[in-house]
Short mmCIF file of all heavy atoms in Angstrom, two decimals:
data_model
loop_
_atom_site.label_atom_id
_atom_site.label_comp_id
_atom_site.label_asym_id
_atom_site.label_seq_id
_atom_site.Cartn_x
_atom_site.Cartn_y
_atom_site.Cartn_z
N GLU A 1 80.83 120.57 85.43
CA GLU A 1 80.21 119.74 86.46
C GLU A 1 78.78 120.18 86.77
O GLU A 1 78.30 120.01 87.88
CB GLU A 1 81.07 119.75 87.73
CG GLU A 1 82.41 119.09 87.51
CD GLU A 1 83.13 118.78 88.80
OE1 GLU A 1 82.49 118.73 89.86
OE2 GLU A 1 84.35 118.60 88.73
N TYR A 2 78.12 120.76 85.80
CA TYR A 2 76.72 121.12 85.95
C TYR A 2 75.90 120.03 85.28
O TYR A 2 76.05 119.78 84.09
CB TYR A 2 76.44 122.49 85.32
CG TYR A 2 74.99 122.89 85.37
CD1 TYR A 2 74.33 123.03 86.59
CD2 TYR A 2 74.28 123.12 84.21
CE1 TYR A 2 73.01 123.41 86.64
CE2 TYR A 2 72.95 123.50 84.25
CZ TYR A 2 72.32 123.63 85.46
OH TYR A 2 70.99 124.00 85.51
N ALA A 3 75.07 119.33 86.06
CA ALA A 3 74.32 118.19 85.54
C ALA A 3 72.84 118.33 85.91
O ALA A 3 72.39 117.77 86.91
CB ALA A 3 74.90 116.89 86.10
N PRO A 4 72.08 119.11 85.13
CA PRO A 4 70.67 119.31 85.48
C PRO A 4 69.87 118.01 85.55
O PRO A 4 68.95 117.90 86.35
CB PRO A 4 70.14 120.22 84.37
CG PRO A 4 71.25 120.48 83.44
CD PRO A 4 72.48 119.82 83.94
N GLU A 5 70.24 117.01 84.75
CA GLU A 5 69.51 115.74 84.79
C GLU A 5 69.68 115.04 86.14
O GLU A 5 68.81 114.29 86.57
CB GLU A 5 69.95 114.80 83.65
CG GLU A 5 71.38 114.28 83.75
CD GLU A 5 72.48 115.27 83.36
OE1 GLU A 5 72.17 116.39 82.91
OE2 GLU A 5 73.66 114.91 83.53
N ALA A 6 70.77 115.33 86.84
CA ALA A 6 71.02 114.76 88.16
C ALA A 6 70.70 115.75 89.28
O ALA A 6 70.89 115.45 90.44
CB ALA A 6 72.47 114.32 88.28
N LYS A 7 70.21 116.94 88.89
CA LYS A 7 69.94 118.02 89.85
C LYS A 7 71.19 118.31 90.69
O LYS A 7 71.13 118.39 91.92
CB LYS A 7 68.75 117.70 90.73
CG LYS A 7 67.46 117.58 89.95
CD LYS A 7 66.40 118.42 90.58
CE LYS A 7 65.12 118.33 89.79
NZ LYS A 7 64.72 119.59 89.27
N ALA A 8 72.34 118.45 90.00
CA ALA A 8 73.61 118.71 90.68
C ALA A 8 74.37 119.80 89.96
O ALA A 8 74.39 119.84 88.73
CB ALA A 8 74.45 117.43 90.73
N SER A 9 74.99 120.66 90.74
CA SER A 9 75.82 121.72 90.20
C SER A 9 77.15 121.73 90.94
O SER A 9 77.18 121.93 92.16
CB SER A 9 75.12 123.08 90.35
OG SER A 9 75.94 124.12 89.84
N GLY A 10 78.23 121.49 90.21
CA GLY A 10 79.56 121.51 90.81
C GLY A 10 80.09 122.93 90.87
O GLY A 10 80.03 123.67 89.88
N LEU A 11 80.59 123.31 92.02
CA LEU A 11 81.20 124.62 92.20
C LEU A 11 82.66 124.43 92.57
O LEU A 11 83.02 123.48 93.26
CB LEU A 11 80.49 125.41 93.32
CG LEU A 11 78.97 125.55 93.25
CD1 LEU A 11 78.47 126.40 94.41
CD2 LEU A 11 78.52 126.14 91.94
N VAL A 12 83.49 125.37 92.13
CA VAL A 12 84.91 125.30 92.43
C VAL A 12 85.37 126.63 93.01
O VAL A 12 84.89 127.70 92.62
CB VAL A 12 85.73 124.89 91.17
CG1 VAL A 12 85.63 125.94 90.08
CG2 VAL A 12 87.16 124.59 91.53
N HIS A 13 86.26 126.55 93.97
CA HIS A 13 86.86 127.71 94.64
C HIS A 13 88.21 127.97 93.99
O HIS A 13 88.84 127.03 93.49
CB HIS A 13 87.02 127.36 96.13
CG HIS A 13 87.45 128.48 96.99
ND1 HIS A 13 88.78 128.79 97.19
CD2 HIS A 13 86.73 129.39 97.69
CE1 HIS A 13 88.86 129.83 98.00
NE2 HIS A 13 87.63 130.21 98.31
N PRO A 14 88.71 129.21 93.99
CA PRO A 14 90.03 129.46 93.41
C PRO A 14 91.15 128.59 94.01
O PRO A 14 92.14 128.32 93.34
CB PRO A 14 90.28 130.94 93.71
CG PRO A 14 88.92 131.54 93.83
CD PRO A 14 88.06 130.45 94.42
N SER A 15 90.96 128.12 95.23
CA SER A 15 91.97 127.26 95.87
C SER A 15 91.96 125.84 95.31
O SER A 15 92.85 125.06 95.60
CB SER A 15 91.72 127.20 97.37
OG SER A 15 90.52 126.48 97.63
N GLY A 16 90.92 125.51 94.53
CA GLY A 16 90.77 124.16 94.00
C GLY A 16 89.75 123.32 94.74
O GLY A 16 89.40 122.23 94.29
N MET A 17 89.27 123.79 95.90
CA MET A 17 88.23 123.04 96.63
C MET A 17 86.97 122.98 95.78
O MET A 17 86.66 123.93 95.06
CB MET A 17 87.89 123.73 97.95
CG MET A 17 88.93 123.66 98.99
SD MET A 17 88.35 124.40 100.55
CE MET A 17 88.12 126.10 100.07
N ARG A 18 86.26 121.87 95.91
CA ARG A 18 85.02 121.68 95.14
C ARG A 18 83.87 121.29 96.07
O ARG A 18 84.07 120.56 97.04
CB ARG A 18 85.20 120.59 94.09
CG ARG A 18 86.18 120.97 93.02
CD ARG A 18 86.31 119.88 91.94
NE ARG A 18 87.08 120.40 90.85
CZ ARG A 18 86.60 121.16 89.86
NH1 ARG A 18 85.33 121.45 89.84
NH2 ARG A 18 87.38 121.61 88.90
N ILE A 19 82.69 121.79 95.73
CA ILE A 19 81.46 121.33 96.37
C ILE A 19 80.47 121.03 95.25
O ILE A 19 80.57 121.58 94.15
CB ILE A 19 80.87 122.35 97.37
CG1 ILE A 19 80.53 123.67 96.70
CG2 ILE A 19 81.81 122.56 98.55
CD1 ILE A 19 79.84 124.67 97.62
N HIS A 20 79.55 120.14 95.52
CA HIS A 20 78.45 119.86 94.60
C HIS A 20 77.16 120.22 95.32
O HIS A 20 76.90 119.72 96.43
CB HIS A 20 78.41 118.39 94.19
CG HIS A 20 79.46 118.03 93.21
ND1 HIS A 20 79.54 116.77 92.66
CD2 HIS A 20 80.46 118.75 92.65
CE1 HIS A 20 80.55 116.74 91.81
NE2 HIS A 20 81.13 117.92 91.80
N LEU A 21 76.39 121.10 94.72
CA LEU A 21 75.08 121.43 95.25
C LEU A 21 74.08 120.47 94.63
O LEU A 21 73.93 120.42 93.41
CB LEU A 21 74.70 122.88 94.92
CG LEU A 21 75.64 123.94 95.48
CD1 LEU A 21 75.20 125.33 95.01
CD2 LEU A 21 75.71 123.87 97.00
N ILE A 22 73.43 119.69 95.48
CA ILE A 22 72.40 118.76 95.05
C ILE A 22 71.07 119.46 95.30
O ILE A 22 70.66 119.65 96.45
CB ILE A 22 72.47 117.43 95.84
CG1 ILE A 22 73.91 116.91 95.92
CG2 ILE A 22 71.50 116.41 95.26
CD1 ILE A 22 74.59 116.69 94.61
N TYR A 23 70.40 119.91 94.24
CA TYR A 23 69.24 120.78 94.42
C TYR A 23 67.92 120.04 94.25
O TYR A 23 67.08 120.35 93.45
CB TYR A 23 69.33 122.02 93.52
CG TYR A 23 69.54 121.80 92.04
CD1 TYR A 23 68.45 121.82 91.16
CD2 TYR A 23 70.80 121.61 91.52
CE1 TYR A 23 68.64 121.64 89.80
CE2 TYR A 23 71.00 121.44 90.16
CZ TYR A 23 69.92 121.46 89.31
OH TYR A 23 70.10 121.29 87.95
N ASN A 24 67.73 119.06 95.13
CA ASN A 24 66.46 118.33 95.19
C ASN A 24 65.90 118.30 96.61
O ASN A 24 65.06 117.48 96.93
CB ASN A 24 66.61 116.91 94.64
CG ASN A 24 67.59 116.07 95.45
OD1 ASN A 24 68.15 116.53 96.44
ND2 ASN A 24 67.81 114.84 95.02
N GLY A 25 66.36 119.21 97.45
CA GLY A 25 65.91 119.24 98.84
C GLY A 25 64.54 119.86 99.00
O GLY A 25 64.08 120.64 98.16
N VAL A 26 63.89 119.49 100.08
CA VAL A 26 62.62 120.11 100.47
C VAL A 26 62.84 120.76 101.83
O VAL A 26 63.62 120.28 102.65
CB VAL A 26 61.46 119.08 100.54
CG1 VAL A 26 61.16 118.53 99.16
CG2 VAL A 26 61.76 117.97 101.50
N THR A 27 62.16 121.85 102.06
CA THR A 27 62.30 122.57 103.32
C THR A 27 61.72 121.73 104.46
O THR A 27 60.60 121.24 104.37
CB THR A 27 61.58 123.93 103.26
OG1 THR A 27 62.14 124.67 102.17
CG2 THR A 27 61.76 124.71 104.54
N ALA A 28 62.50 121.57 105.51
CA ALA A 28 62.06 120.81 106.69
C ALA A 28 61.68 121.80 107.79
O ALA A 28 62.41 122.74 108.06
CB ALA A 28 63.17 119.89 107.17
N GLU A 29 60.55 121.56 108.42
CA GLU A 29 60.08 122.45 109.48
C GLU A 29 61.07 122.54 110.63
O GLU A 29 61.22 123.58 111.26
CB GLU A 29 58.72 121.99 110.01
CG GLU A 29 57.60 122.21 109.03
CD GLU A 29 56.26 121.77 109.59
OE1 GLU A 29 56.11 121.72 110.81
OE2 GLU A 29 55.37 121.49 108.77
N GLU A 30 61.77 121.43 110.92
CA GLU A 30 62.69 121.42 112.05
C GLU A 30 64.07 121.95 111.70
O GLU A 30 64.97 121.91 112.51
CB GLU A 30 62.79 120.02 112.66
CG GLU A 30 63.35 118.95 111.73
CD GLU A 30 62.29 118.25 110.89
OE1 GLU A 30 61.71 117.27 111.34
OE2 GLU A 30 62.07 118.70 109.76
N GLY A 31 64.25 122.48 110.48
CA GLY A 31 65.56 123.00 110.09
C GLY A 31 66.43 121.89 109.54
O GLY A 31 65.98 121.06 108.77
N ASN A 32 67.67 121.85 109.97
CA ASN A 32 68.62 120.82 109.54
C ASN A 32 68.29 119.55 110.31
O ASN A 32 68.50 119.48 111.52
CB ASN A 32 70.04 121.30 109.82
CG ASN A 32 71.10 120.31 109.39
OD1 ASN A 32 71.00 119.13 109.66
ND2 ASN A 32 72.13 120.82 108.75
N VAL A 33 67.78 118.52 109.62
CA VAL A 33 67.30 117.32 110.30
C VAL A 33 68.41 116.54 111.00
O VAL A 33 68.14 115.77 111.91
CB VAL A 33 66.51 116.38 109.37
CG1 VAL A 33 65.24 117.06 108.87
CG2 VAL A 33 67.35 115.91 108.22
N LEU A 34 69.67 116.73 110.60
CA LEU A 34 70.76 116.04 111.29
C LEU A 34 71.19 116.76 112.56
O LEU A 34 71.68 116.12 113.48
CB LEU A 34 71.96 115.89 110.35
CG LEU A 34 71.75 114.95 109.18
CD1 LEU A 34 72.97 114.97 108.28
CD2 LEU A 34 71.46 113.53 109.66
N LEU A 35 71.01 118.07 112.61
CA LEU A 35 71.51 118.81 113.77
C LEU A 35 70.42 119.44 114.62
O LEU A 35 70.60 119.60 115.82
CB LEU A 35 72.48 119.91 113.30
CG LEU A 35 73.77 119.37 112.70
CD1 LEU A 35 74.56 120.50 112.08
CD2 LEU A 35 74.59 118.68 113.76
N ASP A 36 69.31 119.84 114.02
CA ASP A 36 68.31 120.60 114.76
C ASP A 36 67.19 119.76 115.35
O ASP A 36 66.50 120.19 116.26
CB ASP A 36 67.70 121.67 113.84
CG ASP A 36 68.75 122.65 113.33
OD1 ASP A 36 69.75 122.86 114.02
OD2 ASP A 36 68.57 123.18 112.22
N ALA A 37 66.98 118.57 114.82
CA ALA A 37 65.93 117.69 115.34
C ALA A 37 66.38 117.05 116.64
O ALA A 37 67.58 116.83 116.85
CB ALA A 37 65.58 116.62 114.31
N PRO A 38 65.45 116.76 117.55
CA PRO A 38 65.83 116.20 118.84
C PRO A 38 66.49 114.81 118.74
O PRO A 38 67.36 114.48 119.53
CB PRO A 38 64.52 116.12 119.62
CG PRO A 38 63.43 116.38 118.66
CD PRO A 38 64.02 117.01 117.43
N ILE A 39 66.10 114.02 117.76
CA ILE A 39 66.73 112.71 117.57
C ILE A 39 67.91 112.90 116.63
O ILE A 39 67.75 113.40 115.51
CB ILE A 39 65.73 111.70 116.99
CG1 ILE A 39 64.59 111.47 117.97
CG2 ILE A 39 66.43 110.38 116.64
CD1 ILE A 39 63.46 110.63 117.44
N LYS A 40 69.10 112.53 117.07
CA LYS A 40 70.32 112.73 116.28
C LYS A 40 70.56 111.51 115.40
O LYS A 40 70.97 110.46 115.86
CB LYS A 40 71.53 112.98 117.19
CG LYS A 40 71.35 114.19 118.10
CD LYS A 40 71.09 115.45 117.29
CE LYS A 40 70.90 116.65 118.19
NZ LYS A 40 70.17 117.72 117.58
N ARG A 41 70.28 111.66 114.13
CA ARG A 41 70.45 110.59 113.16
C ARG A 41 71.86 110.64 112.58
O ARG A 41 72.48 111.69 112.52
CB ARG A 41 69.43 110.74 112.05
CG ARG A 41 68.00 110.74 112.58
CD ARG A 41 66.99 110.61 111.47
NE ARG A 41 65.63 110.78 111.96
CZ ARG A 41 64.95 109.87 112.64
NH1 ARG A 41 65.49 108.73 112.93
NH2 ARG A 41 63.72 110.11 113.03
N PRO A 42 72.38 109.50 112.11
CA PRO A 42 73.71 109.51 111.50
C PRO A 42 73.68 110.24 110.17
O PRO A 42 72.66 110.29 109.49
CB PRO A 42 74.03 108.03 111.31
CG PRO A 42 72.76 107.29 111.49
CD PRO A 42 71.80 108.16 112.21
N GLY A 43 74.81 110.81 109.80
CA GLY A 43 74.95 111.50 108.53
C GLY A 43 76.01 112.57 108.64
O GLY A 43 76.52 112.85 109.73
#
């Protein structure tokens, strides 16, 4: 599940849980834009 063309890396835990890291983010000055910014956007 490693797809460099999609900038995605699938990770798996021994329990079977999976996450995909989407590595195309840019650093935001306000931190996590969904939780740290004063305006609470959906997501």
Side-chain angles (χ1 to χ4, degrees):
E1 294 194 20
Y2 177 60
E5 67 283 355
K7 297 231 178 242
S9 179
L11 308 182
V12 64
H13 188 272
S15 69
M17 289 184 296
R18 294 182 171 278
I19 60 175
H20 284 184
L21 299 177
I22 313 303
Y23 54 98
N24 62 1
V26 295
T27 302
E29 289 181 24
E30 62 272 272
N32 181 314
V33 296
L34 292 176
L35 293 171
D36 300 332
I39 297 173
K40 302 302 179 203
R41 303 191 187 284

